[in-house]
Amino acid sequence: MPVFSYSAPTVGKSEKLLEIEDGYKYLGTMRRYFSKNSRGSPIYDVNVYMYDAAGGDKYVIEQLDFGMVRGYTWGVYKNDAEIGKIRTPRGLFKNHRIDVRVNDYPGISIKAKTRGKHLILDENENKIGETSTTNSINKVYQGEISALVLPEPDILFYGVIHTFWCGMKRN
């Protein structure tokens, strides 16, 4: 299983630019940003910008809607063209989860567990990986995913993982 790992600030509300590497291979950069029209606490405003160093592509995961009962919805864009959506389940008492549907990308979900590592699932709800974090000054978000689903984690995958972690109410 390919592993993934990156360091991010302890405070999820940071807009710090993150350099993303997979081993010794430089993948690009990623940063969270806040929309100018966000209402209420910025903790619920989750947007992620990514730059793919290999292809020169720009990706954006932009929050389109948020509601405690209706859930979150994000648009996923590549070079300003919409290529997919990320959604959370509807319902006030649902565990944190994102469902990712992006063109030319396997459908995956990331589901929070109350203890241990959070699950990465395929479209049939089979476990294909997991993700966790450290609790140090500089958090490290890490995990693994099946090579059959994603042979190598790319910059968009890192953006999806970051969206999951920043979307959790405690980050």
Side-chain angles (χ1 to χ4, degrees):
M1 286 190 153
V3 297
F4 58 90
S5 174
Y6 69 97
S7 296
T10 300
V11 179
K13 293 177 267 188
S14 172
E15 293 184 277
K16 179 182 176 186
L17 186 68
L18 308 174
E19 302 276 330
I20 304 298
E21 295 179 356
D22 185 8
Y24 294 106
K25 180 181 175 188
Y26 178 68
L27 297 179
T29 58
M30 174 173 67
R31 72 174 174 83
R32 179 178 180 178
Y33 69 93
F34 300 95
S35 61
K36 291 182 172 62
N37 60 357
S38 65
R39 295 182 307 254
S41 173
I43 197 167
Y44 297 113
D45 188 20
V46 178
N47 304 282
V48 180
Y49 170 85
M50 297 139 285
Y51 173 73
D52 179 15
D57 294 313
K58 297 173 189 165
Y59 293 93
V60 174
I61 298 174
E62 180 180 56
Q63 189 168 24
L64 303 174
D65 191 29
F66 168 79
M68 294 300 280
V69 175
R70 67 181 180 270
Y72 301 63
T73 302
W74 291 271
V76 181
Y77 304 89
K78 178 179 180 181
N79 300 325
D80 298 323
E82 185 172 343
I83 60 169
K85 293 267 195 249
I86 299 175
R87 292 188 167 92
T88 63
R90 294 176 173 264
L92 189 58
F93 300 106
K94 300 278 186 181
N95 279 355
H96 180 60
R97 173 189 175 122
I98 61 171
D99 298 313
V100 182
R101 301 297 176 262
V102 175
N103 302 344
D104 301 325
Y105 204 77
I108 64 169
S109 298
I110 306 174
K111 180 180 180 182
K113 291 177 35 181
T114 53
R115 290 187 172 192
K117 297 178 179 180
H118 302 301
L119 302 175
I120 302 175
L121 307 169
D122 67 12
E123 292 177 313
N124 297 317
E125 298 290 312
N126 297 313
K127 180 182 171 185
I128 56 171
E130 56 193 21
T131 182
S132 63
T133 185
T134 62
N135 290 322
S136 62
I137 302 267
N138 280 323
K139 283 192 179 217
V140 175
Y141 298 108
Q142 58 198 5
E144 59 186 20
I145 186 163
S146 170
L148 298 174
V149 175
L150 194 66
E152 293 181 27
D154 59 14
I155 197 71
L156 180 56
F157 177 75
Y158 280 89
V160 167
I161 294 294
H162 204 58
T163 300
F164 170 78
W165 284 106
C166 289
M168 292 186 76
K169 293 173 181 59
R170 62 180 179 190
N171 286 333

